[in-house]
Amino acid sequence: MSTLLEARNVSKIFGGGLFDKSRTVALEDFSFQIDTDKPSVTSIVGESGSGKTTLARLLLGLVAPTEGEVLYYGKNLERLGGSDRKQFLRDIQVIFQDPFEVYNPFYRIDHVLDTPIRNFGLARGETARKELINESLEAVGIRPEEILGRFPHELSGGQRQRIMVARALLLRPKLIIADEPVSMVDASLRATILGSLLRLNREFGISLIYITHDLTTAFQVSEDIMVLYRGTVAEAGDVDKVVREPEHPYTRLLVGSIPLPDPDLPWEGERAIGRPAGELGESGEKFCKFNDRCPFAMPMCVQSDPPLFQTHANRVTSCFLYRESPELPMAKMTSIFKSATREGPPEDTAQLDGLDAELEVSQENSSTPTGGDD
Amino acid sequence: MVEETLSAEEPTVETKETLKVEDLHVYFHTYAGAVKAVNGVSFVLKSGERFGLVGESGSGKSTIALSLLRLIKPPGRIEGGSVYLNGVDLVSLSEEQMRRKRLDEIALVAQGAMNSLNPVRRIRDQFLLAFGDHDIDVKRSGFDDHIGDLLSRVGLGRDVANMFPHELSGGMKQRVCIALAISLSPSVIIADEPTSALDVVVQWQVMDTLRRVQEDLSASVILIGHDMGLMAQFVDRLGVMYAGRLVEIATVRDMFNDPLHPYGQMLIASLPSLESRKDSLQGIPGITPSLLNPPSGCPFHTRCPKVMEHCKTVTPELQEVRQNHWVACHLYEEA
Ligand SMILES: Nc1ncnc2c1ncn2[C@@H]1O[C@H](COP(=O)(O)OP(=O)(O)O)[C@@H](O)[C@H]1O
Ligand SMILES: Nc1ncnc2c1ncn2[C@@H]1O[C@H](COP(=O)(O)OP(=O)(O)O)[C@@H](O)[C@H]1O
Ligand code: SF4
Ligand code: SF4
Ligand SMILES: [Mg+2]
Ligand SMILES: [Mg+2]
C-alpha cells in the first residue's frame, strides 16, 4: 500500500502571535491519508470558515502548514524537487467553486483544455490532441462540437463546471480535490456535475475529496465524511452512520437544519438539540470548540479538548459524551474509514445507472446552449 | 424559541386574496431582441399565506418580484397584465403613488440584498434611508426605540443599530434586511432567495425569523428560490416557473406527492434525499430554452419525455385540472 498524500498533524494559523486579535486557527492538528490502491470518495463538510478551503490549499501545497507536514509519496511538499513537483502537479488536480474565474473571457473554451496538454506534453500532434480532448469531454457528458470554439459566457454554469472536470481528467490524476464545485449552480444541475465527478472515480480510479457545506450531496457521493467545526474534526467516518445517525451535537444540529424535500418531515433546526447549556465555569487553554452552542456541555468540555472516540468500527466522534468508547489518535483517523477497511470496490454503484442514461439523453436533446441557467 | 416546528402546522388561510397577478408580461429589450422574462404569469396570494415560486435560474422569478413592486428598470418593461394589491392595480398607479405602497403595503427582500447594504452607513441610517420615501418623522423621539424594536423582532440586539454592515455576519445582515422589510408592517413580503448564500443552520434561523415576523404581522409571503427542500418546509402553496411561465400551481403536499406537469414530475423525481442513494444523481436532461427565442408551443417541449405533436405548436394554458391544482400541459386537456 502506498500513500499518495498525507497530512500529518497539520495546523494552520493565520495572523500573528498568541495575543494578536487577528490570529485565526484555521485548522488544528489534522491528519489524513489518501492511498493509491483503493480509489475513494471522501467528503469534507462544514460551515463557512470551518477551514475547508484552508485544508484544500494545504493539501495542494498552496499554503505551508504552521505546524506538521504534508507529504506526497512520503516527501514533504515544501521540499519537492523538480521532477517530483511536476508529477505532483499532475497527480493532484483541483476544481474550485466558480469555474468562471478560471476561464479567460477573451479565449475560446479550447484554450483551457489546450493549456494542460501543452504544459504537460500530453499529446503529440493534432489528431492525438483532438482525441484526448474529445475523450475527456465525452466522459463528462458533453459533446465536443457543442462547446469547442465557443466563449466561456456562451456556456451555462453547469457546462463550464463539467468542462473543469474534463480538464482535470486530461491529466489522468490520482486525486481530484473539488472545493464546493456545485455551490454556484442550480440544484437541478448539481446532479449532473457530481455524477461526472463520480464517474471519474468509478471508471478511471481517481480518488475524490469533495468539499462542501451541503450534507445532502456529501451523503450522495461519498463513502466517508469528515465534519469540520472551527478547524477541528467533530465527527468522521462512514457517511451512512454520520449523516443518518449523527452523534456529535454539531452534526445533529447540521442534519436537523437540512430542509428535506418532503413537507411531511419536520424541520427542527436548533430545536433538534436544544439551547446552549450556559455557564460552565472558567475556560482552560484547551476546550471543545462547540461548547458555547452545545446543550450537553459539561465543565470538562471547557477544561480540555475532546479527542476522537471510536464509537463504531467505521466512525469517530470528538465529543466527551462518548468518552466510554476507546480513543483513537488523530493520526489513525483514516484507518477506520470505510474506504480503508472494505475489501474490493465500494458497495453501491447503482447510483450511476440513472446517470448514464441521463448523459445520453442530454447529448441527444441539447440544443444550442443559451447560458440561460446561470 | 417558539415550540412548534416550522412545517408541521396546517395552514389556516382565509380565502381573501391579498395579491392577484393577471397575465403579467415583462420583457427586457436588448440589442438582440426582446427577452421574454415573464411571459403571461397569473397567480393569487391569499391573505396570511406563504406562497413559493420555484424554478431554475433565469426562469423569471426575480423579474416577477421586481415587477410586483414596479422596480423593473429599462431595458426592462412591464408589457401588460395587472397586479392587484388589496384590490388596487399597481400597474396603473403613478410613480408617486407606487412609492408610498412600497414598504408600507408590499416589501421586498431582494436577491443579494444583504450584500447591498450601504457599507459606509450604520444600520440605523439604513432605516432612515428606507423611510425617506414615506412621511415619517424620523427626528421624533422614540424613533430609535422603533428601530430597536424592529431589530429585536428579528432576533438581533438593539446595539446592532450602531454597527456597520461589515461588523455583521451574513445571517445578521439578512435579519437586518428582514427588519427593514417589515418596518412599516406591509401586508405582502417578498423574499427572493433570502438564504442562498447562508450556511444551513443560519438558513434555518433566518427562515424561522421570517416565519415568526410574518405571523406577527399576519402578512403574506412570497418565497422565491430553487431549493425544493426549502419550499417543502416553508410554503403552503407552490408555483413552478419554467422559461418565464408558471407551469404548475398546487398546495405543497399535492406538489410533492402528486406532481402533474412533466417538468414538475422530473423536478420532484430528481430530488436528493437522505433515505437512499440509489438513482439520486439524476438531473433533468437538456438545456433551459432561450427566453430571447423561446420554443414555439409548450416551452418544455424540447425536454419533455411525453411530448406530443401539437405540443410543438400550441401553447398550453394554465388550467385547474384538480381542485386547487393548476397545470399548463396538453396531457390534461379534455379531448
Ligand atoms: N489568507 C488568510 N488570511 C487570514 N485568515 C484566513 C485566510 N484564509 C482563511 N482564513 C481564515 O481561516 C478560517 C478558515 O477559512 P476557510 O478555510 O476559507 O474556511 P471554509 O473554506 O470552510 O469557509 C476563517 O476564519 C478564515 O477567515
Ligand atoms: N436587466 C436585464 N437585461 C436583460 N435581460 C435581463 C435583465 N434582467 C434579467 N434578464 C433576463 O431575464 C430572464 C429572467 O431573469 P431573472 O428574473 O433574474 O430569473 P431568475 O430570478 O429566475 O433567475 C433571464 O434570461 C435574464 O437573463
Ligand atoms: S465535548 Fe462537550 S461541549 Fe463539546 S460537543 Fe461534546 S458535550 Fe458538547
Ligand atoms: S404540453 Fe406537451 S411538451 Fe408540454 S409538458 Fe405537456 S406533454 Fe410535455
Ligand atoms: Mg471555502
Ligand atoms: Mg433570481
Side-chain angles (χ1 to χ4, degrees), chain A residues 46-48 146 159 185-188 190-192 194-195 198 213 215-216 219-223 239-240 243-244 250 253-255 257-271 275 293 348 350-351 354-355 358 361-362 365-370 372-374, chain B residues 1-8 55-59 61 196 198-205 207-208 211 226-230 232-234 252-253 256-257 263 267 270-291 302-304:
Chain A
E47 60 190 25
S48 59
E146 199 176 288
Q159 283 177 316
V185 302
D186 264 25
S188 59
R190 287 177 194 159
T192 324
L194 292 173
L198 260 194
H213 62 267
L215 265 182
T216 313
F219 172 74
Q220 265 144 29
V221 303
S222 63
E223 203 176 1
V239 73
D240 282 312
V243 173
R244 282 204 245 185
Y250 175 62
L253 175 62
L254 267 186
V255 173
S257 299
I258 301 172
L260 294 169
D262 178 347
D264 293 316
L265 293 174
W267 190 27
E268 294 180 299
E270 284 173 341
R271 287 178 215 119
R275 293 154 170 282
R293 293 169 71 185
D348 55 290
Q351 48 187 321
L355 181 81
E358 184 199 326
V361 186
S362 83
N365 276 17
S366 49
S367 47
T368 313
T370 59
D373 64 344
D374 48 315
Chain B
M1 221 52 22
V2 216
E3 284 312 310
E4 80 273 32
T5 46
L6 259 175
S7 61
E56 32 199 303
S57 308
S59 57
K61 305 180 300 293
S196 45
L198 301 175
D199 284 312
V200 64
V201 176
V202 182
Q203 163 169 279
W204 179 87
Q205 293 165 339
M207 295 313 290
D208 191 55
R211 181 189 57 92
H226 60 88
D227 178 357
M228 288 295 270
L230 193 55
Q233 296 296 341
F234 190 80
V252 74
R253 280 205 171 73
F256 280 83
N257 298 334
Y263 176 64
L267 210 56
S270 69
L271 290 175
S273 84
L274 293 184
E275 292 300 309
S276 133
R277 267 180 282 175
K278 214 167 180 306
D279 293 337
S280 57
L281 279 176
Q282 243 155 327
I284 299 177
I287 294 174
T288 322
S290 153
L291 295 175
T302 54
R303 297 164 81 184
C304 181

Side-chain angles (χ1 to χ4, degrees), chain B residues 76-190:
Chain B
R77 212 165 78 95
I78 298 180
E79 301 291 328
S82 321
V83 176
Y84 294 99
L85 174 63
N86 299 318
V88 176
D89 184 7
L90 300 183
V91 175
S92 66
L93 293 185
S94 71
E95 179 48 37
E96 174 60 23
Q97 288 168 316
M98 188 63 221
R99 205 147 49 86
R100 288 166 187 280
K101 295 270 180 198
R102 290 186 203 119
L103 222 54
D104 198 22
E105 284 186 56
I106 183 167
L108 170 68
V109 179
Q111 187 166 3
M114 65 185 220
N115 298 319
S116 15
L117 289 170
N118 189 330
V120 297
R121 298 290 196 101
R122 292 179 197 277
I123 298 304
R124 179 182 187 277
D125 299 334
Q126 319 255 351
F127 280 88
L128 302 190
L129 280 174
F131 293 168
D133 282 345
H134 301 267
D135 299 323
I136 293 166
D137 181 8
V138 295
K139 295 208 183 63
R140 89 186 138 84
S141 64
F143 185 74
D144 281 329
D145 280 347
H146 179 52
I147 293 178
D149 286 345
L150 286 168
L151 291 171
S152 57
R153 273 166 72 188
V154 296
L156 294 172
R158 287 168 176 266
D159 52 329
V160 166
N162 291 317
M163 294 166 84
F164 289 98
H166 70 86
E167 297 177 273
L168 306 178
S169 69
M172 291 168 85
K173 280 190 275 192
Q174 197 57 277
R175 282 161 195 257
V176 167
C177 293
I178 294 174
L180 280 163
I182 61 164
S183 54
L184 298 182
S185 308
S187 50
V188 176
I189 304 166
I190 303 172

Side-chain angles (χ1 to χ4, degrees), chain A residues 126-292:
Chain A
E126 184 56 18
T127 330
R129 186 193 73 96
K130 272 207 175 122
E131 222 165 78
L132 187 62
I133 289 185
N134 291 359
E135 189 192 10
S136 290
L137 287 173
E138 276 157 18
V140 301
I142 288 182
R143 275 189 313 181
E145 62 271 26
E146 199 176 288
I147 61 120
L148 294 177
R150 291 182 176 274
F151 287 97
H153 69 266
E154 296 179 288
L155 305 186
S156 72
Q159 283 177 316
R160 282 196 293 267
Q161 199 57 302
R162 266 147 79 198
I163 291 168
M164 292 323 292
V165 178
R167 181 185 197 247
L169 176 63
L170 283 175
L171 296 157
R172 295 291 187 277
K174 301 213 164 63
L175 170 69
I176 294 178
I177 301 176
D179 189 358
E180 311 250 14
V182 295
S183 301
M184 302 274 283
V185 302
D186 264 25
S188 59
L189 295 170
R190 287 177 194 159
T192 324
I193 298 168
L194 292 173
S196 67
L197 272 168
L198 260 194
R199 179 185 267 207
L200 302 199
N201 172 259
R202 301 291 146 83
E203 285 177 18
F204 298 88
I206 298 170
S207 288
L208 297 176
I209 296 180
Y210 173 54
I211 297 178
T212 180
H213 62 267
D214 176 19
L215 265 182
T216 313
T217 53
F219 172 74
Q220 265 144 29
V221 303
S222 63
E223 203 176 1
D224 297 293
I225 188 172
M226 290 176 268
V227 178
L228 287 188
Y229 185 72
R230 297 199 197 159
T232 59
V233 173
E235 183 166 354
D238 180 355
V239 73
D240 282 312
K241 285 262 164 291
V242 174
V243 173
R244 282 204 245 185
E245 302 152 32
E247 288 180 340
H248 194 286
Y250 175 62
T251 324
R252 289 189 231 170
L253 175 62
L254 267 186
V255 173
S257 299
I258 301 172
L260 294 169
D262 178 347
D264 293 316
L265 293 174
W267 190 27
E268 294 180 299
E270 284 173 341
R271 287 178 215 119
I273 58 169
R275 293 154 170 282
E279 260 326 294
L280 294 169
E282 187 97 2
S283 182
E285 209 174 285
K286 298 253 177 191
F287 48 85
C288 170
K289 296 270 179 14
F290 193 60
N291 80 73
D292 55 333

Side-chain angles (χ1 to χ4, degrees), chain A residues 12-15 22 24-27 46-57 63 179-180 211 228 231:
Chain A
K12 179 69 196 177
I13 298 169
F14 292 106
S22 69
T24 309
V25 182
L27 196 68
E47 60 190 25
S48 59
S50 58
K52 304 182 296 296
T53 297
T54 300
L55 174 55
R57 292 168 59 80
V63 288
D179 189 358
E180 311 250 14
I211 297 178
L228 287 188

